[in-house]
Amino acid sequence: MKQRLLFLGPPGAGKGTQALRLAASHGLLHLSTGDLLRAEVQSGTPLGQEAEAVMARGELVSDQLVLAIVRSRLEGHTGGWLLDGFPRNLSQAEALDALLSELRQEIELVVLMELDDAVLIARLLGRGRADDNEEVIRHRLAVYREQTAPLIQHYRERGQLVAVEASGTVEEIGSRIEAVLS
Ligand code: AMP
C-alpha cells in the first residue's frame, strides 16, 4: 500500500476524519497542520499567538511557520506519513519538495477529496469550530480556490493525483480511499 500521502480538498470535505482513520489503521504518522496550529494556540505558545488571529479570519498563516512545524515532525521519521492540510499553496508545495528530497523521501499519492460547495458549507456550519461561522467559512473556501486549488493541476501534471468522491458515509468514503491506495 502507498504510505507517503497527501490529502487535498476544500475545508469540510472530511480530510481530517478520513486521515485519522487511515493513519490509525495503517500506522501512518498523521500530520494535520490545522490540528498542530490549534494545539499551539491552545497552549498559548509564541507560535500560537502569532497564528491565532490569522486562523480566526480564515486566512493562511505564514509558510515559514507551517513549514517549520512540518519539518520538525518529518525529520527523523522513517515510516509512512499522511499530510493533511499541507501544502496549502504552491510555495508550500515547493518547500515540501525540497524538504522531501533532502530527506530522500517521495510523495507516493495525492488524494483529492471532492465535494459540492453546498454540502461543504452545511458540514462546516454543523461542526461548530471557532473559525466555522458563515462569513469565515466563505472566506476559507475562497482562499482554498485561489491558493490551494492550483495544487490540483500541479500534482495532476506529475501523475500523482487521484480524485475521490467525498460524499456518503464515513465508511463509504473510507473504502473509496482504501481502494485507490492499494
Ligand atoms: P484546517 O484545520 O486544515 O482547516 O486549518 C485551519 C486553519 O489553520 C486554516 O484556516 C489556516 O488558518 C491554518 N492552516 C492550517 N494549515 C495551514 C497551512 N498549511 N498553511 C497555512 N495555514 C494553515
Side-chain angles (χ1 to χ4, degrees):
M1 193 201 84
K2 297 191 170 56
Q3 48 177 354
R4 295 200 169 100
L5 312 171
L6 297 193
F7 271 18
L8 197 62
K15 296 185 298 296
T17 304
Q18 294 297 333
L20 268 176
R21 278 170 56 102
L22 195 72
S25 59
H26 294 280
L28 309 176
L29 171 70
H30 174 211
L31 263 181
S32 157
T33 45
D35 284 352
L36 293 167
L37 287 166
R38 279 184 288 277
E40 298 280 344
V41 170
Q42 211 65 41
S43 335
T45 63
L47 195 152
Q49 285 171 13
E50 194 182 325
E52 188 168 14
V54 180
M55 292 172 73
R57 290 197 300 273
E59 283 165 14
L60 298 183
V61 309
S62 79
D63 293 346
Q64 197 191 348
L65 204 154
V66 176
L67 194 71
I69 293 182
V70 173
R71 169 181 281 277
S72 72
R73 298 295 198 293
L74 282 187
E75 259 173 357
H77 178 80
T78 49
W81 40 254
L82 201 176
L83 299 184
D84 161 15
F86 176 90
R88 251 344 201 259
N89 58 31
L90 280 168
S91 83
Q92 290 183 9
E94 281 161 13
L96 176 62
D97 283 343
L99 173 63
L100 291 178
S101 83
E102 181 190 323
L103 301 176
R104 297 178 194 284
Q105 299 188 13
E106 272 182 8
I107 298 167
E108 291 174 331
L109 197 69
V110 179
V111 178
L112 170 66
M113 296 182 60
E114 292 185 308
L115 197 62
D116 287 347
D117 273 13
V119 187
L120 293 175
I121 292 170
R123 274 197 195 169
L124 291 166
L125 282 172
R127 199 164 68 172
R129 219 168 69 187
D131 55 350
D132 281 344
N133 68 67
E134 188 151 3
E135 191 190 340
V136 177
I137 288 171
R138 291 196 185 281
H139 189 57
R140 278 164 48 215
L141 284 171
V143 168
Y144 173 78
R145 276 191 217 99
E146 283 159 25
Q147 303 193 43
T148 312
L151 296 180
I152 298 171
Q153 190 58 19
H154 174 79
Y155 289 116
R156 189 171 272 146
E157 276 166 10
R158 294 190 185 183
Q160 290 180 315
L161 188 102
V162 57
V164 167
E165 167 69 38
S167 66
T169 64
V170 169
E171 288 73 23
E172 283 164 353
I173 304 164
S175 317
R176 286 181 209 130
I177 295 174
E178 290 276 353
V180 300
L181 294 181
S182 55

